[in-house]
Amino acid sequence: KERIVDIITAIFKRHGAVSLQTPLLIPKDAFTIEFSHINILEAAGLDAGDAAWLLDDTGGVVQLPTNLTLPFARFVAHAGVTEVKRYCISRVYR
């Protein structure tokens, strides 16, 4: 497995991509926001029942990611990124 990840990583780097790791835990608020009557979970093809909901150390509800799209979108929105070639090889949870 490590050899395969090394090969894939080398290919991404050769094409100018950088490794971009996003936070593991996602606040529940990120999943309940709706834009123009489109629920983010539904738009991503997810069901709230697919997720593992947890309490963080402050008592807030967080979720383990079921895919890497929403954590990256949150990063882009908060950091104001307009262009990036990135890759992320990470775990997701169901």
Side-chain angles (χ1 to χ4, degrees):
K1 177 182 172 185
E2 287 179 29
R3 177 76 177 128
I4 293 169
V5 170
D6 290 343
I7 292 169
I8 293 170
T9 299
I11 293 168
F12 280 121
K13 286 182 178 180
R14 187 177 326 133
H15 292 279
V18 295
S19 176
L20 183 73
Q21 301 298 322
T22 54
L24 175 65
L25 299 176
I26 305 164
K28 182 181 179 194
D29 296 350
F31 290 91
T32 57
I33 297 171
E34 294 190 14
F35 297 102
S36 303
H37 308 293
I38 298 173
N39 183 292
I40 290 178
L41 282 174
E42 291 172 3
L46 300 173
D47 181 341
D50 291 342
W53 300 96
L54 308 167
L55 291 176
D56 67 7
D57 57 347
T58 65
V61 179
V62 294
Q63 178 191 0
L64 293 169
T66 55
N67 68 45
L68 300 176
T69 305
L70 187 57
F72 179 63
R74 287 178 41 90
F75 170 80
V76 167
H78 289 286
V81 174
T82 58
E83 273 188 47
V84 66
K85 282 188 178 182
R86 67 101 186 190
Y87 67 93
C88 181
I89 301 172
S90 187
R91 292 184 173 165
V92 294
Y93 303 87
R94 296 248 177 191

